[in-house]
Amino acid sequence: MPIDAAKALAAEPRSAEIAWTRKDVLLYHLGIGAGVPATDPDELRYTLESRLHVLPSFATVAGAGSPDVIGGLNAPGVDVDLAKVLHGGQRVELHRPIPVEGRATATSRVAAVYDKGKAAVLVMRTEVADAAGPLWVNEAQIFVRGEGGWGGERGPSARREPPTTAPDKEVERPVREDQALLYRLSGDWNPLHADPEFAAGAGFDRPILHGLCTYGITLKAVVDTVLGGDVGRVRAYGTRFAGVVFPGETLRIRMWTPDDHAVRVTVTAVERDDAPVLADTLVEHE
Ligand SMILES: CCCCCCC[C@@H](O)CC(=O)SCCNC(=O)CCNC(=O)[C@H](O)C(C)(C)COP(=O)(O)OP(=O)(O)OC[C@H]1O[C@@H](n2cnc3c(N)ncnc32)[C@H](O)[C@@H]1OP(=O)(O)O
């Protein structure tokens, strides 16, 4: 059985030591499109080690590749075909700003397994702490096509309507043709994002962008547009991946600021009649 929900949920949390350097942070920032224009002082805080601040979505890649971290798919009771996997959603909660380099312990477990009939949704939760205390919590929702139907709990519904009022801010962000090739160097080597044959086997005309790359591009746009470029103001950031992005497309990022502590966001693909890309997206901030 590819997903044994009972076994996955009963498994003890697993811990792994993770570490990251300024170089990892710089590479991540380039992978989500930072540094354009290269000499813009506002960009240098993402690209120059002497001025470096860490975009909080770096939490999703810090320590990526560490074999004991089950935030990826190596969890007990989970044995799925990578070609059936899509990233369904992501939430990061920050306890404090992420240091530009660090060592920490990541503790991961499968927090929920939902049976959507034609698909399964796995919820992977990872808590990260260093010697000074808790740093962040990651929760990833992983959508596994063709794996439902065992009679399990259906879980919450993802269907919600976007805001109907005009946004307070709107920006466009072009996605480079080689964005996924850069982004994957931060640790997600899934061939779905680079290998045309693998992508075709998964049902796509060409490789698609990592969901977490769109996630990072969007958070940077919100921080730069609404939060005065201050990454330290972000408290939490959640989204649902509502549709694929192809490298080379343009993202339209719309922002609503209903109060002093939240930014609601939608992201659409401009060249495909504003097809939804990110939905149910909220940045909570100071
Ligand atoms: C650490 C992190 C580990 C990362 C692992 C992943 C590795 C990465 O390399 C992989 C990626 O980056 S993939 C790229 C990013 N993701 C995407 O592009 C997915 C985009 N979304 C889609 O294609 C569809 O919304 C799709 C296909 C997701 C759903 O569309 P439909 O099949 O049409 O579903 P629908 O009929 O609308 O709904 C069926 C039930 O599922 C729930 N649901 C829908 N979208 C969801 C989503 N995104 N996440 C979670 N649940 C979702 C619906 O609510 C519905 O359930 P219910 O009937 O109970 O409401």
Side-chain angles (χ1 to χ4, degrees), residues 111-124:
V113 183
Y114 298 127
D115 180 353
K116 296 294 185 185
K118 63 180 183 180
V121 174
L122 294 164
V123 181
M124 308 285 209

Side-chain angles (χ1 to χ4, degrees), residues 25-262:
V25 175
L26 292 168
L27 184 61
Y28 172 74
H29 287 162
L30 295 180
I32 55 109
V36 183
T39 55
D40 182 339
D42 291 342
E43 292 299 314
L44 291 174
R45 69 170 82 95
Y46 297 107
T47 55
L48 193 62
E49 55 280 18
S50 58
R51 303 188 192 179
L52 192 58
H53 292 74
V54 184
L55 193 70
S57 49
F58 177 76
T60 60
V61 299
S66 184
D68 291 330
V69 176
I70 61 170
L73 283 168
N74 58 332
V78 177
D79 179 17
V80 294
D81 176 0
L82 194 56
K84 293 180 174 176
V85 166
L86 289 170
H87 204 154
Q90 184 71 40
R91 180 175 165 83
V92 174
E93 285 175 31
L94 281 304
H95 290 283
R96 54 193 155 95
I98 301 177
V100 294
E101 54 189 13
R103 289 186 170 278
T105 304
T107 304
S108 310
R109 66 187 163 87
V110 176
V113 183
Y114 298 127
D115 180 353
K116 296 294 185 185
K118 63 180 183 180
V121 174
L122 294 164
V123 181
M124 308 285 209
R125 186 177 165 90
T126 301
E127 298 180 9
V128 175
D130 66 7
L135 269 169
W136 70 76
V137 179
N138 277 338
E139 207 165 83
Q141 298 214 2
I142 297 169
F143 194 92
V144 191
R145 296 173 292 172
E147 286 295 345
W150 71 87
E153 190 192 333
R154 194 164 181 100
S157 178
R159 299 176 211 277
R160 262 175 244 116
E161 294 303 316
T164 49
T165 55
D168 296 299
K169 301 277 181 190
E170 178 174 327
V171 297
E172 291 188 7
R173 291 289 181 267
V175 179
R176 294 165 58 109
E177 279 287 342
D178 59 357
Q179 200 77 62
L181 304 179
L182 266 172
Y183 180 83
R184 68 201 299 266
L185 303 178
S186 284
D188 183 345
W189 299 92
N190 187 347
L192 177 63
H193 310 296
D195 181 345
E197 283 178 25
F198 187 94
F204 298 104
D205 294 342
R206 55 196 165 105
I208 64 172
L209 192 65
H210 303 73
L212 288 179
C213 183
T214 309
Y215 184 78
I217 293 170
T218 301
L219 182 63
K220 180 175 181 296
V222 171
V223 166
D224 293 346
T225 310
V226 180
L227 303 186
D230 185 353
V231 296
R233 291 177 63 190
V234 178
R235 287 287 155 265
Y237 171 36
T239 198
R240 174 165 58 89
F241 298 110
V244 298
V245 175
F246 295 99
E249 291 185 330
T250 309
L251 303 177
R252 191 189 313 280
I253 302 173
R254 295 186 169 112
M255 297 163 243
W256 289 258
T257 49
D259 59 51
D260 289 343
H261 296 287

